[in-house]
Amino acid sequence: MKTLHVNLGPRSYDIHIASGALDTAGEAVKTVCPRAARLFVVTDTNVGPLYAGRVKASLEQAGFAVRVTTLPAGEHTKCVDSLSLLWEDSMSFGLTRTDAVVALGGGVIGDLAGFAAATILRGVDFIQIPTTLLAQVDSSVGGKVAIDLKAGKNLAGAFWQPRLVLMDPDTLNTLPDATLSDGMAEVIKYGCIADRDFFDFLCAHPSRARIMEEIESVLYTCCDIKRSVVEEDERDTGRRMLLNFGHTVGHAFELAGNYEKWTHGQAVAAGMCVAAQLGFGLGVSGGDDSGIRELVELLKAFRLPTRIDCDWNTLVRAVGLDKKSTGDDITMIFLKRMGEAVPVRMKKEDVLRNLEAVFGR
Ligand code: NAD
Ligand code: GLY
């Protein structure tokens, strides 16, 4: 087992990475929630049938009363109706302030159940058991919880740190290839922004099979990078913005595809390529463009797109570069070199001019 400690004073917690962690969840939860009697487990229709039985058995064996609530799989579940259902269901189960919510699933379930935990009885303990690669390396760590509104994604939420993150790498074996690749976009992002050696390691392991041979250390490295960023900037006002490398343009791609054509990971993959090219064009990135070529090859190895054609006006609007968005400046995240990201405050008109060059307009 590998363990990391996220040091946030009274909101500190451990991340456990261990094959078989699902079957020892009960003892682990008991350690961090010694006063809890009831656990309200939230999962989805894909993950529940695969893993909820094992988790429930382990939690019950440790003495907890457990209710499992299963919601439909998919982003549309991250909505106010589901949140309201969880509020009511947890009350009918008799959850009290010393009990806890357990999220068993991908980022959708983690974000939704986390927001429920932040609001039930003005906040109860929360355990993350992430089962997608994206959730294991990103969304389960750092305490951002949210639901989507009609106006956009993640628009209602909170910072609510978990008491424990338990990840079992074996759960990744049941992920479809495309869902694993989505998570790989974020894994590759960590190499780009913070660790050249890790980026090189990924280049030397360019397939699902090769990554899975080293999965515990891949998860550890990614979570360690996220840990250090979150410890420094829990509330996302400074260094945490570096995690947005590839996301500004990526969000535009997601929006242009109505959140259906491109998954988050695919959009981020193509967004990282645009950001890397922009940084190079602007002279922020030193040296030659070999890092960009390596990034493109690595993304392709995981069947991630390196270029997405997007309607120009949508792109401009979504990146916040249109005249209606306030302020003249925008903070972009660029690579100083492969393995080191920097925030760069720029005039929007300069970003636009350089984006035109990248998109060949
Ligand atoms: P997801 O939760 O929808 O999971 C993807 C699919 O995989 C779903 O169909 C799910 O049922 C299925 N699944 C999950 N685990 C499985 C397993 N082990 N075997 C088989 N199928 C499995 O999506 P995601 O990519 O995990 O997360 C995306 C969400 O995360 C988005 O809502 C995004 O906004 C959010 N997110 C949050 C943060 C944060 O910091 N809070 C960061 C990044 C993304
Ligand atoms: N996923 C970006 C963040 O946690 O800040």
PDB file of all heavy atoms in Angstrom, residues 118-152:
ATOM      1  N   ALA A 118     -21.315  18.171   2.135  1.00  0.00           N
ATOM      2  CA  ALA A 118     -21.019  19.541   2.601  1.00  0.00           C
ATOM      3  C   ALA A 118     -22.269  20.244   3.106  1.00  0.00           C
ATOM      4  O   ALA A 118     -22.171  21.198   3.882  1.00  0.00           O
ATOM      5  CB  ALA A 118     -20.399  20.345   1.455  1.00  0.00           C
ATOM      6  N   THR A 119     -23.436  19.760   2.678  1.00  0.00           N
ATOM      7  CA  THR A 119     -24.668  20.483   2.999  1.00  0.00           C
ATOM      8  C   THR A 119     -25.595  19.718   3.946  1.00  0.00           C
ATOM      9  O   THR A 119     -26.417  20.347   4.617  1.00  0.00           O
ATOM     10  CB  THR A 119     -25.422  20.820   1.692  1.00  0.00           C
ATOM     11  OG1 THR A 119     -25.459  19.641   0.862  1.00  0.00           O
ATOM     12  CG2 THR A 119     -24.742  21.938   0.929  1.00  0.00           C
ATOM     13  N   ILE A 120     -25.503  18.391   3.978  1.00  0.00           N
ATOM     14  CA  ILE A 120     -26.364  17.609   4.885  1.00  0.00           C
ATOM     15  C   ILE A 120     -26.051  18.016   6.327  1.00  0.00           C
ATOM     16  O   ILE A 120     -24.880  17.993   6.748  1.00  0.00           O
ATOM     17  CB  ILE A 120     -26.116  16.093   4.689  1.00  0.00           C
ATOM     18  CG1 ILE A 120     -26.701  15.625   3.349  1.00  0.00           C
ATOM     19  CG2 ILE A 120     -26.695  15.288   5.852  1.00  0.00           C
ATOM     20  CD1 ILE A 120     -26.251  14.230   2.930  1.00  0.00           C
ATOM     21  N   LEU A 121     -27.070  18.428   7.059  1.00  0.00           N
ATOM     22  CA  LEU A 121     -26.911  18.821   8.471  1.00  0.00           C
ATOM     23  C   LEU A 121     -25.772  19.844   8.644  1.00  0.00           C
ATOM     24  O   LEU A 121     -25.018  19.803   9.594  1.00  0.00           O
ATOM     25  CB  LEU A 121     -26.654  17.585   9.344  1.00  0.00           C
ATOM     26  CG  LEU A 121     -27.742  16.510   9.276  1.00  0.00           C
ATOM     27  CD1 LEU A 121     -27.286  15.243   9.969  1.00  0.00           C
ATOM     28  CD2 LEU A 121     -29.031  17.024   9.907  1.00  0.00           C
ATOM     29  N   ARG A 122     -25.626  20.715   7.666  1.00  0.00           N
ATOM     30  CA  ARG A 122     -24.566  21.750   7.597  1.00  0.00           C
ATOM     31  C   ARG A 122     -23.164  21.162   7.503  1.00  0.00           C
ATOM     32  O   ARG A 122     -22.172  21.798   7.849  1.00  0.00           O
ATOM     33  CB  ARG A 122     -24.646  22.709   8.786  1.00  0.00           C
ATOM     34  CG  ARG A 122     -25.952  23.470   8.826  1.00  0.00           C
ATOM     35  CD  ARG A 122     -25.855  24.690   9.717  1.00  0.00           C
ATOM     36  NE  ARG A 122     -27.144  25.368   9.709  1.00  0.00           N
ATOM     37  CZ  ARG A 122     -28.141  25.070  10.533  1.00  0.00           C
ATOM     38  NH1 ARG A 122     -27.986  24.140  11.436  1.00  0.00           N
ATOM     39  NH2 ARG A 122     -29.262  25.717  10.440  1.00  0.00           N
ATOM     40  N   GLY A 123     -23.097  19.920   7.031  1.00  0.00           N
ATOM     41  CA  GLY A 123     -21.770  19.351   6.777  1.00  0.00           C
ATOM     42  C   GLY A 123     -21.481  18.119   7.610  1.00  0.00           C
ATOM     43  O   GLY A 123     -21.419  18.202   8.831  1.00  0.00           O
ATOM     44  N   VAL A 124     -21.318  16.970   6.920  1.00  0.00           N
ATOM     45  CA  VAL A 124     -20.923  15.732   7.611  1.00  0.00           C
ATOM     46  C   VAL A 124     -19.645  15.200   6.957  1.00  0.00           C
ATOM     47  O   VAL A 124     -19.258  15.652   5.873  1.00  0.00           O
ATOM     48  CB  VAL A 124     -22.037  14.647   7.534  1.00  0.00           C
ATOM     49  CG1 VAL A 124     -23.278  15.082   8.280  1.00  0.00           C
ATOM     50  CG2 VAL A 124     -22.362  14.283   6.083  1.00  0.00           C
ATOM     51  N   ASP A 125     -19.019  14.223   7.626  1.00  0.00           N
ATOM     52  CA  ASP A 125     -17.780  13.653   7.091  1.00  0.00           C
ATOM     53  C   ASP A 125     -18.034  12.975   5.745  1.00  0.00           C
ATOM     54  O   ASP A 125     -19.150  12.516   5.457  1.00  0.00           O
ATOM     55  CB  ASP A 125     -17.197  12.633   8.074  1.00  0.00           C
ATOM     56  CG  ASP A 125     -16.463  13.311   9.215  1.00  0.00           C
ATOM     57  OD1 ASP A 125     -16.244  14.534   9.140  1.00  0.00           O
ATOM     58  OD2 ASP A 125     -16.112  12.613  10.187  1.00  0.00           O
ATOM     59  N   PHE A 126     -16.958  12.867   4.987  1.00  0.00           N
ATOM     60  CA  PHE A 126     -17.083  12.447   3.600  1.00  0.00           C
ATOM     61  C   PHE A 126     -15.865  11.595   3.243  1.00  0.00           C
ATOM     62  O   PHE A 126     -14.731  11.974   3.547  1.00  0.00           O
ATOM     63  CB  PHE A 126     -17.142  13.743   2.762  1.00  0.00           C
ATOM     64  CG  PHE A 126     -16.975  13.618   1.300  1.00  0.00           C
ATOM     65  CD1 PHE A 126     -17.687  12.662   0.587  1.00  0.00           C
ATOM     66  CD2 PHE A 126     -16.141  14.487   0.605  1.00  0.00           C
ATOM     67  CE1 PHE A 126     -17.549  12.570  -0.788  1.00  0.00           C
ATOM     68  CE2 PHE A 126     -16.004  14.409  -0.758  1.00  0.00           C
ATOM     69  CZ  PHE A 126     -16.712  13.444  -1.453  1.00  0.00           C
ATOM     70  N   ILE A 127     -16.129  10.425   2.649  1.00  0.00           N
ATOM     71  CA  ILE A 127     -15.045   9.519   2.243  1.00  0.00           C
ATOM     72  C   ILE A 127     -15.098   9.362   0.732  1.00  0.00           C
ATOM     73  O   ILE A 127     -16.172   9.129   0.174  1.00  0.00           O
ATOM     74  CB  ILE A 127     -15.246   8.089   2.858  1.00  0.00           C
ATOM     75  CG1 ILE A 127     -15.552   8.151   4.356  1.00  0.00           C
ATOM     76  CG2 ILE A 127     -14.039   7.198   2.548  1.00  0.00           C
ATOM     77  CD1 ILE A 127     -14.440   8.618   5.229  1.00  0.00           C
ATOM     78  N   GLN A 128     -13.986   9.470   0.086  1.00  0.00           N
ATOM     79  CA  GLN A 128     -13.930   9.274  -1.375  1.00  0.00           C
ATOM     80  C   GLN A 128     -13.375   7.881  -1.676  1.00  0.00           C
ATOM     81  O   GLN A 128     -12.269   7.533  -1.217  1.00  0.00           O
ATOM     82  CB  GLN A 128     -12.981  10.307  -2.000  1.00  0.00           C
ATOM     83  CG  GLN A 128     -13.519  11.714  -2.108  1.00  0.00           C
ATOM     84  CD  GLN A 128     -14.252  11.961  -3.440  1.00  0.00           C
ATOM     85  OE1 GLN A 128     -14.702  11.044  -4.118  1.00  0.00           O
ATOM     86  NE2 GLN A 128     -14.363  13.231  -3.784  1.00  0.00           N
ATOM     87  N   ILE A 129     -14.130   7.092  -2.453  1.00  0.00           N
ATOM     88  CA  ILE A 129     -13.593   5.836  -2.997  1.00  0.00           C
ATOM     89  C   ILE A 129     -13.699   5.942  -4.528  1.00  0.00           C
ATOM     90  O   ILE A 129     -14.673   5.486  -5.140  1.00  0.00           O
ATOM     91  CB  ILE A 129     -14.344   4.587  -2.460  1.00  0.00           C
ATOM     92  CG1 ILE A 129     -14.418   4.622  -0.921  1.00  0.00           C
ATOM     93  CG2 ILE A 129     -13.651   3.318  -2.941  1.00  0.00           C
ATOM     94  CD1 ILE A 129     -15.042   3.381  -0.278  1.00  0.00           C
ATOM     95  N   PRO A 130     -12.713   6.594  -5.153  1.00  0.00           N
ATOM     96  CA  PRO A 130     -12.793   6.862  -6.593  1.00  0.00           C
ATOM     97  C   PRO A 130     -12.509   5.609  -7.423  1.00  0.00           C
ATOM     98  O   PRO A 130     -11.618   4.836  -7.076  1.00  0.00           O
ATOM     99  CB  PRO A 130     -11.701   7.912  -6.803  1.00  0.00           C
ATOM    100  CG  PRO A 130     -10.712   7.658  -5.712  1.00  0.00           C
ATOM    101  CD  PRO A 130     -11.505   7.159  -4.531  1.00  0.00           C
ATOM    102  N   THR A 131     -13.269   5.439  -8.508  1.00  0.00           N
ATOM    103  CA  THR A 131     -13.117   4.213  -9.312  1.00  0.00           C
ATOM    104  C   THR A 131     -12.765   4.471 -10.778  1.00  0.00           C
ATOM    105  O   THR A 131     -12.662   3.522 -11.541  1.00  0.00           O
ATOM    106  CB  THR A 131     -14.418   3.375  -9.261  1.00  0.00           C
ATOM    107  OG1 THR A 131     -15.490   4.167  -9.802  1.00  0.00           O
ATOM    108  CG2 THR A 131     -14.769   2.954  -7.837  1.00  0.00           C
ATOM    109  N   THR A 132     -12.634   5.747 -11.178  1.00  0.00           N
ATOM    110  CA  THR A 132     -12.087   6.012 -12.527  1.00  0.00           C
ATOM    111  C   THR A 132     -10.677   6.570 -12.357  1.00  0.00           C
ATOM    112  O   THR A 132     -10.336   7.088 -11.281  1.00  0.00           O
ATOM    113  CB  THR A 132     -12.918   7.045 -13.324  1.00  0.00           C
ATOM    114  OG1 THR A 132     -12.894   8.297 -12.614  1.00  0.00           O
ATOM    115  CG2 THR A 132     -14.347   6.586 -13.542  1.00  0.00           C
ATOM    116  N   LEU A 133      -9.908   6.510 -13.445  1.00  0.00           N
ATOM    117  CA  LEU A 133      -8.552   7.069 -13.370  1.00  0.00           C
ATOM    118  C   LEU A 133      -8.623   8.568 -13.114  1.00  0.00           C
ATOM    119  O   LEU A 133      -7.856   9.112 -12.308  1.00  0.00           O
ATOM    120  CB  LEU A 133      -7.799   6.750 -14.674  1.00  0.00           C
ATOM    121  CG  LEU A 133      -6.353   7.214 -14.746  1.00  0.00           C
ATOM    122  CD1 LEU A 133      -5.520   6.654 -13.591  1.00  0.00           C
ATOM    123  CD2 LEU A 133      -5.722   6.820 -16.094  1.00  0.00           C
ATOM    124  N   LEU A 134      -9.561   9.241 -13.795  1.00  0.00           N
ATOM    125  CA  LEU A 134      -9.678  10.690 -13.592  1.00  0.00           C
ATOM    126  C   LEU A 134      -9.986  11.008 -12.132  1.00  0.00           C
ATOM    127  O   LEU A 134      -9.397  11.917 -11.533  1.00  0.00           O
ATOM    128  CB  LEU A 134     -10.772  11.269 -14.500  1.00  0.00           C
ATOM    129  CG  LEU A 134     -10.963  12.787 -14.370  1.00  0.00           C
ATOM    130  CD1 LEU A 134     -11.204  13.415 -15.734  1.00  0.00           C
ATOM    131  CD2 LEU A 134     -12.097  13.140 -13.430  1.00  0.00           C
ATOM    132  N   ALA A 135     -10.891  10.253 -11.545  1.00  0.00           N
ATOM    133  CA  ALA A 135     -11.255  10.529 -10.148  1.00  0.00           C
ATOM    134  C   ALA A 135     -10.095  10.201  -9.219  1.00  0.00           C
ATOM    135  O   ALA A 135      -9.871  10.891  -8.224  1.00  0.00           O
ATOM    136  CB  ALA A 135     -12.501   9.735  -9.770  1.00  0.00           C
ATOM    137  N   GLN A 136      -9.325   9.154  -9.530  1.00  0.00           N
ATOM    138  CA  GLN A 136      -8.219   8.772  -8.644  1.00  0.00           C
ATOM    139  C   GLN A 136      -7.083   9.791  -8.697  1.00  0.00           C
ATOM    140  O   GLN A 136      -6.465  10.078  -7.673  1.00  0.00           O
ATOM    141  CB  GLN A 136      -7.728   7.362  -8.994  1.00  0.00           C
ATOM    142  CG  GLN A 136      -8.811   6.307  -8.705  1.00  0.00           C
ATOM    143  CD  GLN A 136      -8.365   4.872  -8.866  1.00  0.00           C
ATOM    144  OE1 GLN A 136      -7.290   4.598  -9.379  1.00  0.00           O
ATOM    145  NE2 GLN A 136      -9.205   3.929  -8.454  1.00  0.00           N
ATOM    146  N   VAL A 137      -6.803  10.338  -9.880  1.00  0.00           N
ATOM    147  CA  VAL A 137      -5.652  11.256  -9.957  1.00  0.00           C
ATOM    148  C   VAL A 137      -6.048  12.711  -9.777  1.00  0.00           C
ATOM    149  O   VAL A 137      -5.180  13.572  -9.622  1.00  0.00           O
ATOM    150  CB  VAL A 137      -4.869  11.117 -11.289  1.00  0.00           C
ATOM    151  CG1 VAL A 137      -4.316   9.719 -11.444  1.00  0.00           C
ATOM    152  CG2 VAL A 137      -5.714  11.513 -12.500  1.00  0.00           C
ATOM    153  N   ASP A 138      -7.347  13.003  -9.825  1.00  0.00           N
ATOM    154  CA  ASP A 138      -7.720  14.413  -9.820  1.00  0.00           C
ATOM    155  C   ASP A 138      -8.893  14.722  -8.892  1.00  0.00           C
ATOM    156  O   ASP A 138      -8.708  15.295  -7.803  1.00  0.00           O
ATOM    157  CB  ASP A 138      -8.041  14.847 -11.264  1.00  0.00           C
ATOM    158  CG  ASP A 138      -8.241  16.343 -11.412  1.00  0.00           C
ATOM    159  OD1 ASP A 138      -8.148  17.060 -10.411  1.00  0.00           O
ATOM    160  OD2 ASP A 138      -8.497  16.816 -12.545  1.00  0.00           O
ATOM    161  N   SER A 139     -10.114  14.300  -9.276  1.00  0.00           N
ATOM    162  CA  SER A 139     -11.280  14.883  -8.605  1.00  0.00           C
ATOM    163  C   SER A 139     -11.459  14.452  -7.148  1.00  0.00           C
ATOM    164  O   SER A 139     -12.098  15.170  -6.380  1.00  0.00           O
ATOM    165  CB  SER A 139     -12.554  14.587  -9.402  1.00  0.00           C
ATOM    166  OG  SER A 139     -12.770  13.205  -9.514  1.00  0.00           O
ATOM    167  N   SER A 140     -10.907  13.291  -6.754  1.00  0.00           N
ATOM    168  CA  SER A 140     -11.133  12.848  -5.366  1.00  0.00           C
ATOM    169  C   SER A 140     -10.227  13.579  -4.372  1.00  0.00           C
ATOM    170  O   SER A 140     -10.444  13.510  -3.165  1.00  0.00           O
ATOM    171  CB  SER A 140     -10.898  11.331  -5.252  1.00  0.00           C
ATOM    172  OG  SER A 140      -9.549  11.020  -5.535  1.00  0.00           O
ATOM    173  N   VAL A 141      -9.221  14.257  -4.883  1.00  0.00           N
ATOM    174  CA  VAL A 141      -8.248  14.937  -4.015  1.00  0.00           C
ATOM    175  C   VAL A 141      -8.436  16.453  -4.162  1.00  0.00           C
ATOM    176  O   VAL A 141      -8.534  16.956  -5.283  1.00  0.00           O
ATOM    177  CB  VAL A 141      -6.809  14.560  -4.431  1.00  0.00           C
ATOM    178  CG1 VAL A 141      -5.780  15.310  -3.581  1.00  0.00           C
ATOM    179  CG2 VAL A 141      -6.604  13.059  -4.329  1.00  0.00           C
ATOM    180  N   GLY A 142      -8.521  17.152  -3.050  1.00  0.00           N
ATOM    181  CA  GLY A 142      -8.511  18.609  -3.149  1.00  0.00           C
ATOM    182  C   GLY A 142      -9.784  19.290  -2.719  1.00  0.00           C
ATOM    183  O   GLY A 142      -9.808  20.513  -2.575  1.00  0.00           O
ATOM    184  N   GLY A 143     -10.865  18.515  -2.550  1.00  0.00           N
ATOM    185  CA  GLY A 143     -12.046  19.077  -1.901  1.00  0.00           C
ATOM    186  C   GLY A 143     -12.978  19.924  -2.747  1.00  0.00           C
ATOM    187  O   GLY A 143     -13.894  20.541  -2.214  1.00  0.00           O
ATOM    188  N   LYS A 144     -12.782  19.957  -4.064  1.00  0.00           N
ATOM    189  CA  LYS A 144     -13.774  20.689  -4.878  1.00  0.00           C
ATOM    190  C   LYS A 144     -14.956  19.763  -5.113  1.00  0.00           C
ATOM    191  O   LYS A 144     -14.791  18.674  -5.673  1.00  0.00           O
ATOM    192  CB  LYS A 144     -13.172  21.091  -6.226  1.00  0.00           C
ATOM    193  CG  LYS A 144     -12.275  22.296  -6.166  1.00  0.00           C
ATOM    194  CD  LYS A 144     -11.915  22.738  -7.580  1.00  0.00           C
ATOM    195  CE  LYS A 144     -10.933  23.871  -7.582  1.00  0.00           C
ATOM    196  NZ  LYS A 144     -10.489  24.213  -8.954  1.00  0.00           N
ATOM    197  N   VAL A 145     -16.138  20.195  -4.676  1.00  0.00           N
ATOM    198  CA  VAL A 145     -17.351  19.395  -4.885  1.00  0.00           C
ATOM    199  C   VAL A 145     -18.395  20.307  -5.515  1.00  0.00           C
ATOM    200  O   VAL A 145     -18.419  21.508  -5.243  1.00  0.00           O
ATOM    201  CB  VAL A 145     -17.857  18.800  -3.554  1.00  0.00           C
ATOM    202  CG1 VAL A 145     -16.851  17.796  -3.000  1.00  0.00           C
ATOM    203  CG2 VAL A 145     -18.130  19.881  -2.505  1.00  0.00           C
ATOM    204  N   ALA A 146     -19.241  19.735  -6.362  1.00  0.00           N
ATOM    205  CA  ALA A 146     -20.150  20.626  -7.099  1.00  0.00           C
ATOM    206  C   ALA A 146     -21.220  19.848  -7.837  1.00  0.00           C
ATOM    207  O   ALA A 146     -21.126  18.632  -8.023  1.00  0.00           O
ATOM    208  CB  ALA A 146     -19.344  21.451  -8.112  1.00  0.00           C
ATOM    209  N   ILE A 147     -22.237  20.597  -8.271  1.00  0.00           N
ATOM    210  CA  ILE A 147     -23.195  20.079  -9.254  1.00  0.00           C
ATOM    211  C   ILE A 147     -23.217  21.044 -10.442  1.00  0.00           C
ATOM    212  O   ILE A 147     -22.719  22.171 -10.351  1.00  0.00           O
ATOM    213  CB  ILE A 147     -24.628  19.935  -8.669  1.00  0.00           C
ATOM    214  CG1 ILE A 147     -25.124  21.275  -8.111  1.00  0.00           C
ATOM    215  CG2 ILE A 147     -24.687  18.833  -7.611  1.00  0.00           C
ATOM    216  CD1 ILE A 147     -26.622  21.314  -7.828  1.00  0.00           C
ATOM    217  N   ASP A 148     -23.793  20.570 -11.542  1.00  0.00           N
ATOM    218  CA  ASP A 148     -23.947  21.415 -12.733  1.00  0.00           C
ATOM    219  C   ASP A 148     -25.289  22.142 -12.665  1.00  0.00           C
ATOM    220  O   ASP A 148     -26.261  21.621 -12.108  1.00  0.00           O
ATOM    221  CB  ASP A 148     -23.933  20.555 -14.006  1.00  0.00           C
ATOM    222  CG  ASP A 148     -22.651  19.717 -14.133  1.00  0.00           C
ATOM    223  OD1 ASP A 148     -21.608  20.149 -13.598  1.00  0.00           O
ATOM    224  OD2 ASP A 148     -22.711  18.653 -14.784  1.00  0.00           O
ATOM    225  N   LEU A 149     -25.321  23.332 -13.227  1.00  0.00           N
ATOM    226  CA  LEU A 149     -26.585  24.063 -13.367  1.00  0.00           C
ATOM    227  C   LEU A 149     -26.898  24.179 -14.860  1.00  0.00           C
ATOM    228  O   LEU A 149     -26.051  23.879 -15.705  1.00  0.00           O
ATOM    229  CB  LEU A 149     -26.458  25.470 -12.764  1.00  0.00           C
ATOM    230  CG  LEU A 149     -26.071  25.544 -11.277  1.00  0.00           C
ATOM    231  CD1 LEU A 149     -26.067  26.993 -10.812  1.00  0.00           C
ATOM    232  CD2 LEU A 149     -27.023  24.721 -10.417  1.00  0.00           C
ATOM    233  N   LYS A 150     -28.100  24.662 -15.179  1.00  0.00           N
ATOM    234  CA  LYS A 150     -28.437  24.855 -16.607  1.00  0.00           C
ATOM    235  C   LYS A 150     -27.442  25.819 -17.242  1.00  0.00           C
ATOM    236  O   LYS A 150     -27.097  25.697 -18.405  1.00  0.00           O
ATOM    237  CB  LYS A 150     -29.859  25.408 -16.741  1.00  0.00           C
ATOM    238  CG  LYS A 150     -30.939  24.390 -16.444  1.00  0.00           C
ATOM    239  CD  LYS A 150     -32.283  24.859 -16.987  1.00  0.00           C
ATOM    240  CE  LYS A 150     -33.393  23.905 -16.561  1.00  0.00           C
ATOM    241  NZ  LYS A 150     -33.790  24.095 -15.133  1.00  0.00           N
ATOM    242  N   ALA A 151     -26.971  26.780 -16.444  1.00  0.00           N
ATOM    243  CA  ALA A 151     -26.061  27.801 -16.984  1.00  0.00           C
ATOM    244  C   ALA A 151     -24.657  27.263 -17.231  1.00  0.00           C
ATOM    245  O   ALA A 151     -23.860  27.913 -17.914  1.00  0.00           O
ATOM    246  CB  ALA A 151     -25.995  28.977 -16.028  1.00  0.00           C
ATOM    247  N   GLY A 152     -24.322  26.094 -16.708  1.00  0.00           N
ATOM    248  CA  GLY A 152     -22.980  25.567 -16.967  1.00  0.00           C
ATOM    249  C   GLY A 152     -22.552  24.543 -15.928  1.00  0.00           C
ATOM    250  O   GLY A 152     -23.252  24.302 -14.937  1.00  0.00           O
TER     251      GLY A 152
END
